[in-house]
């Protein structure tokens, strides 16, 4: 059978915080990956799907490639590096700068080991006052890796994202559609709900809590009248963190809950009754048992 449409896998890599999740959300047109100004927000591979008349791109948004500091870090790095060999095209996101730091050089090292075509995506070009400067950024990067293409974009302003889609399709094979046209993600609802709660917690707590929080959905049941009951726990590593997450008179937990509930309702298109608890699990990021419980089980590595 001869296929008339293109179909394949693309992954986004880059140092933590370069805007991978923001870019993917804009390309897909829906909020799937969580975004936060804290690095290493994405812990699992999030698979999202873009379909148009040209075919289908399945995006794997991996955790940032970085040097691991604990078991959770090792898990995230393994997932990211394993993905590079599985896809048809790699998008490497960088910020607009002529300085190439150790983190970038570490990524370039990994990319030079694979035969997959790499598109360099210079993101955040909306922050560059003189657009001619973009040429100097391209010049700084062009020899670090044999890039298939270099595309400057602004994920936030959706600038050049159509050009980027065009370049991705260029490197995809012809093949079957893996998903229905209206599919945007293969993540189960429970996982997306947990990620949305975690995003709101990270955003509202800003710098008060280090990165060690996870969210588990204890219960998710739909009532006959079309209301979804969700019980979720925010897991932290210290008693002092628990107090900060709950806030004075429960005020912070309420804020996190109502912000998350609104987004979960939008996503599920139904009323949601969200109950949040906070639990302390010391050193959970270094415990394989806890990591498995919180969804980081390494089965996809």
């Amino acid at each position: 059978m001869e296929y008339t449409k293109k179909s394949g896998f693309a992954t986004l890599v880059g140092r933590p915080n370069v805007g991978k999740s923001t870019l993917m959300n804009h390309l897909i047109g829906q909020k799937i990956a969580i975004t936060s100004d804290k690095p290493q927000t994405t812990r699992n591979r999030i698979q999202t799907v873009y379909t148009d008349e040209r075919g289908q791109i399945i995006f794997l948004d991996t955790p940032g490639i970085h040097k691991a500091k604990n078991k959770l870090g090792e898990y995230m790095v393994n997932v990211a590096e394993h993905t590079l060999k599985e896809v048809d095209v790699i998008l490497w996101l960088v910020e607009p700068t002529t300085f190439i730091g150790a983190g970038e050089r570490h990524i370039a090292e990994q990319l030079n080991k694979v035969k997959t075509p790499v598109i360099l995506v210079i993101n955040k070009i909306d922050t560059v006052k003189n657009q001619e400067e973009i040429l100097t950024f391209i010049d700084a990067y062009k020899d670090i890796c044999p890039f298939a293409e270099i595309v400057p974009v602004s994920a936030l302003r959706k600038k050049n994202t159509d050009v980027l889609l065009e370049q991705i399709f260029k490197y995809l094979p012809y093949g079957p559609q893996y998903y229905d046209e209206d599919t945007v993600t293969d993540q189960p609802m429970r996982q997306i709900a947990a990620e949305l709660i975690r995003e709101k917690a990270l955003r509202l707590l800003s710098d008060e809590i280090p990165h060690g929080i996870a969210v588990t959905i204890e219960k998710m049941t739909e009532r006959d009248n079309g209301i979804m009951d969700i019980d979720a726990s925010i897991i932290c590593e210290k008693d002092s963190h628990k107090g900060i997450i709950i806030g004075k008179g429960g005020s912070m937990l309420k804020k996190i809950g109502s912000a998350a509930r609104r987004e979960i309702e939008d996503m599920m298109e139904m009323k949601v009754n969200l109950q949040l608890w906070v639990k302390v699990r010391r050193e959970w990021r270094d415990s394989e048992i806890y990591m498995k419980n919180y969804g980081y089980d390494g089965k996809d590595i």
Side-chain angles (χ1 to χ4, degrees):
M1 179 182 173
E2 204 165 311
Y3 295 107
T4 56
K5 292 191 173 190
K6 291 201 156 189
S7 174
F9 294 81
T11 189
L12 295 120
V13 299
R15 282 183 59 240
N17 235 9
V18 291
K20 297 187 295 294
S21 296
T22 304
L23 177 64
M24 192 171 69
N25 286 337
H26 282 310
L27 291 175
I28 301 300
Q30 282 200 26
K31 172 90 171 260
I32 302 293
I34 78 169
T35 54
S36 154
D37 56 5
K38 296 201 171 192
Q40 293 165 42
T41 314
T42 307
R43 286 183 179 166
N44 273 315
R45 294 196 305 183
I46 294 178
Q47 197 152 304
T48 55
V49 185
Y50 175 85
T51 308
D52 70 12
E53 67 286 346
R54 293 169 288 191
Q56 196 167 73
I57 307 167
I58 295 112
F59 287 99
L60 303 177
D61 180 29
T62 63
I65 297 176
H66 58 283
K67 293 217 172 1
K69 291 191 180 74
N70 51 31
K71 278 197 167 58
L72 176 62
E74 281 167 33
Y75 169 77
M76 290 160 69
V77 170
N78 282 342
V79 173
E81 293 179 359
H82 186 71
T83 305
L84 301 180
K85 299 181 180 81
E86 291 181 342
V87 295
D88 300 296
V89 61
I90 297 165
L91 310 182
W92 179 17
L93 252 72
V94 298
E95 295 193 329
T97 175
T98 52
F99 173 72
I100 301 174
E104 259 81 27
R105 292 189 187 282
H106 176 66
I107 292 171
E109 243 171 72
Q110 307 306 315
L111 296 181
N112 280 316
K113 288 180 197 166
V114 296
K115 294 184 170 65
T116 317
V118 179
I119 297 175
L120 180 72
V121 182
I122 300 174
N123 190 21
K124 305 186 184 179
I125 57 165
D126 52 295
T127 61
V128 180
K129 286 194 173 66
N130 177 2
Q131 293 297 297
E132 281 176 18
E133 267 187 85
I134 293 167
L135 296 173
T136 63
F137 307 140
I138 290 172
D139 207 46
Y141 269 95
K142 69 177 183 352
D143 299 325
I144 196 171
C145 222
F147 296 112
E149 308 287 343
I150 297 178
V151 185
V153 304
S154 165
L156 206 57
R157 304 267 177 268
K158 293 193 179 177
K159 194 173 177 185
N160 259 7
T161 48
D162 51 343
V163 175
L164 182 58
L165 284 168
E166 208 173 284
Q167 297 302 336
I168 297 167
F169 274 117
K170 186 171 158 186
Y171 292 95
L172 295 189
Y174 286 92
Q177 304 279 280
Y178 294 97
Y179 293 93
D180 294 338
E181 277 178 30
D182 56 356
T183 301
V184 290
T185 180
D186 73 342
Q187 297 287 294
M189 282 297 185
R190 287 175 86 97
Q191 202 169 336
I192 297 175
E195 287 287 87
L196 286 172
I197 295 164
R198 197 164 70 89
E199 174 189 46
K200 295 297 168 256
L202 287 174
R203 193 160 283 177
L204 288 162
L205 293 161
S206 60
D207 297 330
E208 292 188 81
I209 298 273
H211 214 69
I213 62 170
V215 173
T216 57
I217 304 290
E218 319 287 351
K219 186 185 90 171
M220 197 164 173
T221 49
E222 191 177 340
R223 293 186 223 165
D224 294 339
N225 60 0
I227 292 174
M228 181 70 78
D229 288 311
I230 301 174
D231 290 2
S233 296
I234 297 175
I235 316 293
C236 60
E237 292 183 310
K238 295 178 182 171
D239 290 313
S240 58
H241 294 173
K242 181 176 180 176
I244 295 167
I245 296 167
I246 292 170
K248 201 173 175 186
S251 58
M252 179 54 80
L253 198 59
K254 276 199 192 93
K255 264 191 204 165
I256 294 168
S258 59
R261 180 184 51 75
R262 281 195 297 273
E263 284 213 8
I264 295 168
E265 284 183 339
D266 286 349
M267 179 191 69
M268 294 185 171
E269 297 179 343
M270 68 194 303
K271 294 288 284 174
V272 169
N273 168 39
L274 176 62
Q275 301 289 327
L276 286 183
W277 283 268
V278 184
K279 293 177 183 172
V280 179
R281 296 284 180 270
R282 289 174 219 297
E283 308 282 313
W284 73 262
R285 287 183 293 173
D286 265 322
S287 158
E288 283 180 16
I289 292 165
Y290 280 144
M291 277 175 54
K292 280 194 171 99
N293 285 347
Y294 305 151
Y296 312 120
D297 64 2
K299 277 200 201 90
D300 56 352
I301 292 175

